[in-house]
Amino acid sequence: MAHFRLSDAPIDAIALQAGLRDPRAGACASFEGWVRDHNDGQSVNGLRYEAYAELAEREGAAILAEALQRFEIIDAACVHRVGDLSIGDLAVWVGASAAHRGPAFEACRWIIDEVKARVPIWKHERYAGGQAGWLHPDQ
């Protein structure tokens, strides 16, 4: 059963992948988004994700439901962090299981692109120089 959720705790990718196991599945593709130490020419010390939780979880669930319709996958899951994150932290995890690798890869890519475009989650970066700024979701 596909599921989307927000988390203010570290993401357990191994447990999420285990949740996608199914005897019909011959493939599981996943994507991990990590906090990097730079963006757009500036050094980054960390960031904060904020979300409109009710709308984010509803839209995230809709994206996963659409993925199940659009691709030949068995299951999919996505967890996105909220709160303060440090460099190297896992910020988002997406996984899709399928009988074959093609649909798993295609669905995984589509899900993260749709989450970034449609789910109301905002990123506030803290830069090494002391400044901070909000970023548009597709940056």
Side-chain angles (χ1 to χ4, degrees):
M1 183 66 170
H3 63 276
F4 177 93
R5 69 182 167 88
L6 300 173
S7 177
D8 61 1
I11 296 171
D12 183 350
I14 301 299
L16 290 166
Q17 184 188 48
L20 295 178
R21 289 199 175 272
D22 185 288
R24 297 169 294 165
C28 180
S30 64
F31 169 81
E32 296 183 354
W34 302 336
V35 178
R36 64 179 176 268
D37 69 354
H38 66 281
N39 186 41
D40 214 15
Q42 298 189 72
S43 294
V44 173
N45 287 340
L47 57 81
R48 177 175 184 78
Y49 282 109
E50 294 188 11
Y52 177 3
E54 182 178 322
L55 182 57
E57 290 182 342
R58 187 172 52 226
E59 190 63 23
I63 290 167
L64 294 180
E66 288 174 41
L68 287 170
Q69 295 292 317
R70 181 182 286 252
F71 302 96
E72 291 184 33
I73 59 174
I74 296 167
D75 204 354
C78 179
V79 177
H80 201 297
R81 287 286 309 271
V82 290
D84 292 314
L85 282 78
S86 299
I87 304 305
D89 283 351
L90 180 55
V92 60
W93 186 91
V94 177
S97 61
H100 303 285
R101 67 182 180 275
F105 279 126
E106 293 166 8
C108 190
R109 172 66 186 257
W110 184 85
I111 291 166
I112 188 61
D113 288 347
E114 292 298 307
V115 166
K116 290 295 186 185
R118 295 168 43 187
V119 176
I121 299 173
W122 298 277
K123 182 164 59 173
H124 188 252
E125 284 188 337
R126 297 182 305 272
Y127 303 109
Q131 310 92 334
W134 291 98
L135 296 179
H136 188 273
D138 63 1
Q139 290 179 314

